[in-house]
């Protein structure tokens, strides 16, 4: 929820064309980070006493040693990081000939595949878990690589030039709201069953396939055009509305 609220506040600040507001936001961020550091230093206990430890605690003192020794887990996490860092430019170049709605439909299918594969170990034998989750991570990474530049470019080109900053701010609010709602939704769905969250995610992602072709004709003509990230996304990343 903290990330969601922060994103909303940042979006409001960025929608105001004022250098003073920008500098104030940067200064406030720096001060809040210092406050967070002080709170972590003073308010979080560094260790627990022996009386607080269970008598049969076998994990005492292990800490990050367990994590660094868990090579399959590190490989799973590192896979997404490497793919994101190494392939973003190549993916943008690859999808450039595609109309943007088609690219977003592709991202939706990839996210639906990720959700289905993540739920796969609930039924598959244990030996297939690692391959299944590895492919799931690759699908998730590919969806991010496709969706991020294309959606940013589409949101920028669909906005009137004179108020593009405000349009992009509202676009960013959608991510902030999702960040707040997602944990609550997942908790409620997990109470139903272990499959419900992943089935819901897959269904919502697949709504992109009929949704984007229906929405594209209603957008400004240049917005759904080909061009991948395009110049508008570059302007957005550079902070120019």
């Amino acid at each position: 929820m903290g990330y969601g609220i922060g994103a909303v506040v940042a979006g409001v600040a960025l929608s105001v064309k004022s250098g003073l507001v920008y500098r104030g936001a940067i200064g406030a961020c720096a001060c809040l980070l210092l406050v967070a550091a002080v709170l972590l230093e003073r308010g979080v206990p560094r260790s627990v006493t022996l009386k607080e430890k269970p008598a049969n605690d076998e994990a005492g003192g292990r800490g990050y040693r367990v994590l660094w020794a868990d090579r399959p887990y590190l490989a799973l996490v590192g896979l997404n990081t490497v793919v994101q860092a190494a392939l973003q430019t190549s993916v943008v170049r690859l999808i450039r000939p595609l109309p943007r709605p088609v690219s977003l439909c592709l991202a939706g299918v990839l996210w639906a595949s990720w959700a289905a594969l993540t739920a796969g170990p609930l039924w598959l034998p244990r030996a297939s878990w690692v391959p299944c989750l590895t492919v799931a991570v690759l699908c998730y990474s590919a969806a991010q690589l496709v969706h991020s530049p294309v959606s940013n470019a589409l949101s920028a080109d669909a906005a009137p030039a004179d108020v593009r900053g405000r349009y992009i701010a509202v676009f960013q609010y959608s991510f902030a709201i999702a960040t707040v709602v997602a944990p609550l939704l997942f908790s409620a769905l997990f109470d139903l069953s272990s499959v419900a969250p992943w089935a819901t995610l897959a269904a919502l992602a697949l709504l992109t396939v009929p949704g984007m072709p229906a929405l594209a004709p209603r957008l400004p003509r240049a917005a759904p055009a080909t061009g991948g990230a395009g110049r508008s996304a570059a302007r957005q990343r550079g902070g120019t509305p």
Side-chain angles (χ1 to χ4, degrees), residues 56-191:
N56 59 348
D57 184 12
E58 298 178 357
R62 293 167 68 190
Y64 282 103
R65 288 184 298 171
V66 179
L67 174 61
W68 300 128
D70 194 342
R71 293 183 180 180
Y73 182 82
L74 291 176
L76 192 65
V77 174
L79 192 59
N80 180 55
T81 304
V82 171
V83 170
Q84 293 288 324
L87 298 182
Q88 181 68 83
T89 302
S90 300
V91 170
V92 169
R93 189 181 300 115
L94 185 65
I95 64 176
R96 186 168 292 157
L98 298 177
R100 288 168 180 166
V102 174
S103 296
L104 293 178
C105 289
L106 173 61
V109 171
L110 287 168
W111 263 317
S113 302
W114 159 72
L117 288 167
T118 303
L122 295 172
W123 301 284
L124 297 175
R126 190 179 185 88
S128 64
W129 288 4
V130 171
C132 183
L133 292 177
T134 299
V135 177
V137 170
L138 289 174
C139 288
Y140 183 87
S141 298
Q144 281 188 309
L145 291 171
V146 172
H147 178 269
S148 180
V150 175
S151 63
N152 284 331
L154 184 60
S155 69
D157 286 343
D162 58 329
V163 287
R164 179 172 288 136
R166 295 182 184 275
Y167 272 63
I168 292 174
V170 171
F171 175 69
Q172 295 299 328
Y173 292 159
S174 65
F175 295 99
I177 294 170
T179 302
V180 174
V181 171
L184 302 175
L185 178 62
F186 256 65
S187 298
L189 291 173
F190 268 122
D191 287 340

Side-chain angles (χ1 to χ4, degrees), residues 115 185-203:
L185 178 62
F186 256 65
S187 298
L189 291 173
F190 268 122
D191 287 340
L192 295 177
S193 72
S194 299
V195 181
W198 309 112
T200 302
L201 284 174

